[in-house]
Amino acid sequence: MISIDHIAVWSDNLYRTTADLSRATGLGSADGGYFPGLGLGQKLLSLGGHVYLEVESIVDHRMIAERAPMALELERQTANGDCFAGLCLRSDDLDEVAEFARHRGITPTADIAGGKVRMVPAQGSAPSVHAPDFRNAWLLGKPNLYHVPDLANHSSLLAPQPGTGDVRGTGLTAIELGGTEAELKDWLGDVVAPADLGVDIAYNGGPDGLYAVTFGTTDGPRTLRLNPITPRS
């Protein structure tokens, strides 16, 4: 079964953006760890229903000083503020990931440069097999697909750090995408229909990317609207 797993937000300041999102929504945040090979740190805000926001920024100053590719990309994408970087789907069936990869003409991968270091080591598992990688999905304004066989240790279940927010998410309900439904269907192929992703999808006909997310909370519905990623030409 395929559904939405998480939504990546790129920022030039991990802590500022996380605090801003918590203030705007009331949601608490957890520390998601970091990727040594990419210089990225993460904070996570659960939207409920095993969906979460993944806030990322460069936390390794050497990556900035050395003008590493990821640091340059983050700088480019966040020049006009925080942005929705990636819409990430999941499947509990590895065959579905393989089918999607075949449709996209690629090979699934579990490689993430340098791996990931989690602040709560027992949470999560080894890097998920996924397709395509972010360069060939997010940077095109398109979703990618991860193999998540077990939700028992899902990142959305990490307890928020005390004092970061008392509101709890009750589930993602709607998203706004650029492009058209026909274009998303073409991207996804036969692996899943957009209507079967479990949320209402509005298409604004603009450049590809994610523009807004709406979700329920214990304090009523919330909508977050950020810049979409600037698709790579």
Side-chain angles (χ1 to χ4, degrees):
M1 178 179 176
I2 294 176
S3 57
I4 294 175
D5 187 75
H6 64 281
I7 294 161
V9 174
W10 277 355
S11 165
D12 63 1
N13 186 320
L14 180 64
Y15 293 93
R16 174 191 53 76
T17 297
T18 303
D20 286 350
L21 290 174
S22 288
R23 279 193 290 268
T25 64
L27 297 175
S29 65
D31 198 318
Y34 69 99
F35 295 94
L38 298 175
L40 286 177
Q42 290 184 336
K43 293 284 189 176
L44 309 179
L45 293 86
S46 177
L47 304 183
H50 294 105
V51 180
Y52 61 96
L53 293 178
E54 175 183 85
V55 185
E56 297 182 326
S57 76
I58 300 295
V59 295
D60 186 341
H61 69 90
R62 292 173 299 175
M63 296 289 187
I64 298 171
E66 296 169 4
R67 311 301 286 159
M70 179 57 80
L72 288 172
E73 189 62 45
L74 263 289
E75 181 179 72
R76 184 175 79 89
Q77 294 290 350
T78 61
N80 295 314
D82 300 336
C83 71
F84 284 126
L87 177 63
C88 306
L89 311 181
R90 69 167 178 263
S91 173
D92 58 1
D93 186 344
L94 193 57
D95 288 341
E96 287 184 324
V97 180
E99 178 187 349
F100 181 53
R102 284 192 296 271
H103 171 64
R104 298 303 326 152
I106 59 172
T107 301
T109 181
D111 291 338
I112 300 175
K116 183 178 182 180
V117 177
R118 291 173 171 83
M119 295 298 99
V120 181
Q123 189 73 21
S125 58
S128 298
V129 174
H130 59 279
D133 64 16
F134 75 91
R135 295 174 184 85
N136 294 296
W138 299 8
L139 296 188
L140 301 177
K142 299 292 191 181
N144 60 349
L145 179 62
Y146 290 79
H147 181 227
V148 182
D150 183 1
L151 295 175
N153 291 316
H154 195 251
S155 293
S156 66
L157 302 178
L158 273 172
Q161 292 175 301
T164 59
D166 298 324
V167 173
R168 296 293 178 263
T170 59
L172 184 69
T173 58
I175 60 176
E176 180 185 333
L177 299 176
T180 66
E181 183 177 12
E183 290 169 338
L184 182 58
K185 285 181 176 178
D186 180 67
W187 176 262
L188 295 174
D190 294 332
V191 68
V192 65
D196 293 334
L197 290 176
V199 299
D200 293 330
I201 304 177
Y203 302 89
N204 63 28
D208 287 325
L210 179 63
Y211 288 70
V213 299
T214 298
F215 52 96
T217 79
T218 52
D219 193 41
R222 300 283 194 273
T223 295
L224 286 177
R225 182 172 293 275
L226 298 175
N227 295 325
I229 203 166
T230 302
R232 186 181 60 198
S233 58

